[in-house]
Short mmCIF file of all heavy atoms in Angstrom, two decimals:
data_model
loop_
_atom_site.label_atom_id
_atom_site.label_comp_id
_atom_site.label_asym_id
_atom_site.label_seq_id
_atom_site.Cartn_x
_atom_site.Cartn_y
_atom_site.Cartn_z
N GLY A 190 8.69 -0.88 0.00
CA GLY A 190 8.86 0.25 0.90
C GLY A 190 8.87 1.58 0.17
O GLY A 190 8.27 2.56 0.61
N ASP A 191 9.55 1.61 -0.98
CA ASP A 191 9.58 2.83 -1.79
C ASP A 191 8.18 3.19 -2.28
O ASP A 191 7.80 4.36 -2.30
CB ASP A 191 10.52 2.65 -2.98
CG ASP A 191 11.98 2.56 -2.57
OD1 ASP A 191 12.30 2.99 -1.44
OD2 ASP A 191 12.79 2.09 -3.38
N ALA A 192 7.43 2.16 -2.71
CA ALA A 192 6.07 2.41 -3.17
C ALA A 192 5.21 2.95 -2.04
O ALA A 192 4.38 3.85 -2.24
CB ALA A 192 5.46 1.13 -3.74
N HIS A 193 5.41 2.41 -0.84
CA HIS A 193 4.61 2.83 0.32
C HIS A 193 4.84 4.30 0.65
O HIS A 193 3.89 5.07 0.78
CB HIS A 193 4.95 1.95 1.51
CG HIS A 193 4.00 2.09 2.66
ND1 HIS A 193 4.13 3.07 3.62
CD2 HIS A 193 2.88 1.39 2.99
CE1 HIS A 193 3.14 2.96 4.50
NE2 HIS A 193 2.38 1.95 4.14
N ILE A 194 6.10 4.70 0.76
CA ILE A 194 6.36 6.10 1.12
C ILE A 194 5.98 7.03 -0.02
O ILE A 194 5.54 8.16 0.20
CB ILE A 194 7.83 6.29 1.55
CG1 ILE A 194 8.02 7.66 2.19
CG2 ILE A 194 8.77 6.10 0.38
CD1 ILE A 194 7.12 7.94 3.39
N SER A 195 6.10 6.56 -1.27
CA SER A 195 5.66 7.37 -2.42
C SER A 195 4.16 7.63 -2.34
O SER A 195 3.70 8.74 -2.62
CB SER A 195 6.01 6.68 -3.74
OG SER A 195 7.41 6.53 -3.88
N GLY A 196 3.41 6.59 -1.97
CA GLY A 196 1.97 6.75 -1.84
C GLY A 196 1.61 7.73 -0.72
O GLY A 196 0.69 8.55 -0.87
N ILE A 197 2.35 7.66 0.38
CA ILE A 197 2.10 8.58 1.49
C ILE A 197 2.36 10.02 1.07
O ILE A 197 1.55 10.92 1.31
CB ILE A 197 2.96 8.21 2.72
CG1 ILE A 197 2.47 6.90 3.33
CG2 ILE A 197 2.92 9.33 3.76
CD1 ILE A 197 3.30 6.43 4.50
N ILE A 198 3.51 10.24 0.44
CA ILE A 198 3.84 11.60 0.00
C ILE A 198 2.81 12.12 -0.99
O ILE A 198 2.36 13.28 -0.90
CB ILE A 198 5.26 11.63 -0.61
CG1 ILE A 198 6.30 11.36 0.48
CG2 ILE A 198 5.53 12.97 -1.28
CD1 ILE A 198 7.71 11.18 -0.06
N THR A 199 2.42 11.28 -1.93
CA THR A 199 1.39 11.68 -2.90
C THR A 199 0.10 12.05 -2.19
O THR A 199 -0.56 13.05 -2.53
CB THR A 199 1.12 10.53 -3.90
OG1 THR A 199 2.32 10.24 -4.61
CG2 THR A 199 0.03 10.91 -4.88
N GLY A 200 -0.27 11.26 -1.20
CA GLY A 200 -1.50 11.55 -0.46
C GLY A 200 -1.41 12.87 0.29
O GLY A 200 -2.36 13.66 0.27
N LEU A 201 -0.28 13.12 0.93
CA LEU A 201 -0.12 14.35 1.70
C LEU A 201 -0.20 15.58 0.81
O LEU A 201 -0.87 16.57 1.14
CB LEU A 201 1.20 14.33 2.46
CG LEU A 201 1.32 13.32 3.61
CD1 LEU A 201 2.72 13.35 4.21
CD2 LEU A 201 0.27 13.59 4.69
N VAL A 202 0.50 15.55 -0.34
CA VAL A 202 0.47 16.72 -1.22
C VAL A 202 -0.88 16.88 -1.91
O VAL A 202 -1.20 17.95 -2.44
CB VAL A 202 1.61 16.68 -2.27
CG1 VAL A 202 2.96 16.65 -1.59
CG2 VAL A 202 1.44 15.51 -3.22
N SER A 203 -1.69 15.81 -1.89
CA SER A 203 -3.03 15.87 -2.48
C SER A 203 -4.09 16.27 -1.47
O SER A 203 -5.28 16.32 -1.80
CB SER A 203 -3.39 14.51 -3.10
OG SER A 203 -2.49 14.17 -4.13
N GLY A 204 -3.68 16.52 -0.23
CA GLY A 204 -4.61 17.01 0.78
C GLY A 204 -5.13 15.98 1.75
O GLY A 204 -6.00 16.29 2.57
N LEU A 205 -4.63 14.74 1.69
CA LEU A 205 -5.07 13.73 2.63
C LEU A 205 -4.39 13.92 3.98
O LEU A 205 -3.31 14.50 4.06
CB LEU A 205 -4.73 12.32 2.11
CG LEU A 205 -5.36 11.87 0.79
CD1 LEU A 205 -4.93 10.44 0.48
CD2 LEU A 205 -6.87 11.98 0.83
#
Side-chain angles (χ1 to χ4, degrees):
D191 291 341
H193 192 274
I194 192 57
S195 297
I197 290 177
I198 292 172
T199 299
L201 292 176
V202 300
S203 299
L205 298 182

